[in-house]
Amino acid sequence: MEQILNSLSISPIQVVDADIPLEQYTAISISSENKALKEFDVASSIEWSSYLDQYLEEKQAKVAYGGYLEKRDIYKRSNYFNTTEATEERNIHLGIDLWCNEGTKVLAALDGTIHSFQNNKNHGDYGPTIILEHHLENITFYTLYGHLSLNSLDNIAVGQEVKKSEVIGFLGDNSVNGDYAPHLHFQLILDLQGNSGDYPGVCSEKNINLYKKNCPNPNLLLKLPHEI
Ligand SMILES: [Zn+2]
């Protein structure tokens, strides 16, 4: 499956505003290992935004991206990701995040149809979310776009066709996107397991093998350079 996904694109695919050149992309780690994250209150989306603005300025970039299978501390702030069982704590990130300005256009990665959409309102959740369905090379799989603006869900319908690179929505701000600095959560999903408009974007260490298999590295498809 990974080979098939890898073969679907030759050059990088942009899922945020295609007018931002790839030279203005930079990698970012927000794993528990990143010491810079100890310097501010990671529970605050406002402080996150300041940190990211500064990071982007230092790198002279417009988009900071990364995070597949990253173990993160940020989810500790939301009950949504945690239970009393420590082994069940969900802190492994299953998509790629692209951190850029609120209102940035979000683009379909490939031709497809709208499978489902929903506003997922838990604290730390996706907020407005769209899932596209793709049929390629005799396989069906899905791409999920989370943390959109509310109006991204206006005037769309299940089954609606979308073309690769078509604008399907816009990035939401912290008042609607689960209380994060603005970013797109982009995830590949092979089996939606009956979900609609939602699918876990973070899993526990205990379940990592299952989710790793069902949610391959989005960069197999996107081919964003690892470091610029
Ligand atoms: Zn994410």
Side-chain angles (χ1 to χ4, degrees), residues 72 93 97 183 185:
R72 297 175 168 179
H93 186 253
D97 286 329
H183 70 288
H185 176 98

Side-chain angles (χ1 to χ4, degrees), residues 162-175:
V162 296
K163 290 285 172 204
K164 180 180 176 182
S165 303
E166 187 179 323
V167 177
I168 56 165
F170 302 89
L171 289 189
D173 67 15
N174 63 348
S175 69

Side-chain angles (χ1 to χ4, degrees), residues 40-60:
F40 67 94
D41 177 10
V42 294
S44 160
S45 56
I46 305 289
E47 293 198 25
W48 264 108
S49 290
S50 309
Y51 170 70
L52 287 159
D53 286 349
Q54 198 187 335
Y55 188 87
L56 289 170
E57 201 181 308
E58 270 169 27
K59 304 279 181 187
Q60 298 198 311

Side-chain angles (χ1 to χ4, degrees), residues 33-226:
E33 310 288 308
N34 181 350
K35 300 231 168 9
L37 307 184
K38 311 258 187 260
E39 307 296 316
F40 67 94
D41 177 10
V42 294
S44 160
S45 56
I46 305 289
E47 293 198 25
W48 264 108
S49 290
S50 309
Y51 170 70
L52 287 159
D53 286 349
Q54 198 187 335
Y55 188 87
L56 289 170
E57 201 181 308
E58 270 169 27
K59 304 279 181 187
Q60 298 198 311
K62 292 263 168 59
V63 179
Y65 69 94
Y68 180 64
L69 298 186
E70 203 164 68
K71 186 174 173 181
R72 297 175 168 179
D73 285 334
I74 183 174
Y75 304 113
K76 289 187 194 299
R77 68 181 183 150
S78 326
N79 290 332
Y80 179 56
F81 297 101
N82 298 300
T83 61
T84 46
E85 282 285 325
T87 53
E88 299 287 339
E89 179 182 343
R90 294 199 292 136
N91 55 10
I92 313 278
H93 186 253
L94 297 168
I96 280 185
D97 286 329
L98 297 103
W99 305 84
C100 48
N101 290 336
E102 165 205 345
T104 301
K105 291 172 189 162
V106 173
L107 317 175
L110 296 164
D111 290 356
T113 55
I114 296 180
H115 171 273
S116 50
F117 56 92
Q118 181 169 288
N119 187 4
N120 297 296
K121 294 182 185 169
N122 293 297
H123 181 231
D125 208 340
Y126 295 128
T129 308
I130 296 176
I131 295 177
L132 300 183
E133 180 172 337
H134 309 282
H135 298 275
L136 292 164
E137 313 251 336
N138 298 322
I139 54 158
T140 299
F141 65 97
Y142 304 87
T143 51
L144 180 149
Y145 307 76
H147 308 300
L148 306 178
S149 64
L150 283 176
N151 65 5
S152 302
L153 304 188
D154 291 345
N155 306 313
I156 60 172
V158 168
Q160 188 179 320
E161 269 190 46
V162 296
K163 290 285 172 204
K164 180 180 176 182
S165 303
E166 187 179 323
V167 177
I168 56 165
F170 302 89
L171 289 189
D173 67 15
N174 63 348
S175 69
V176 298
N177 76 353
D179 190 26
Y180 293 97
H183 70 288
L184 174 67
H185 176 98
F186 177 83
Q187 186 169 333
L188 291 177
I189 305 164
L190 305 185
D191 178 359
L192 270 176
Q193 301 174 289
N195 285 275
S196 177
D198 194 13
Y199 188 85
V202 182
C203 74
S204 66
E205 250 174 320
K206 199 173 123 185
N207 291 330
I208 192 167
N209 286 333
L210 183 155
Y211 280 104
K212 211 161 77 174
K213 213 167 160 200
N214 196 38
C215 303
N217 188 345
N219 217 29
L220 288 168
L221 183 67
L222 298 187
K223 297 188 171 57
L224 300 174
H226 284 291

Side-chain angles (χ1 to χ4, degrees), residues 17-38:
D17 190 351
D19 289 336
I20 304 174
L22 288 169
E23 290 70 32
Q24 292 183 353
Y25 279 56
T26 189
I28 191 168
S29 159
I30 65 162
S31 83
S32 317
E33 310 288 308
N34 181 350
K35 300 231 168 9
L37 307 184
K38 311 258 187 260

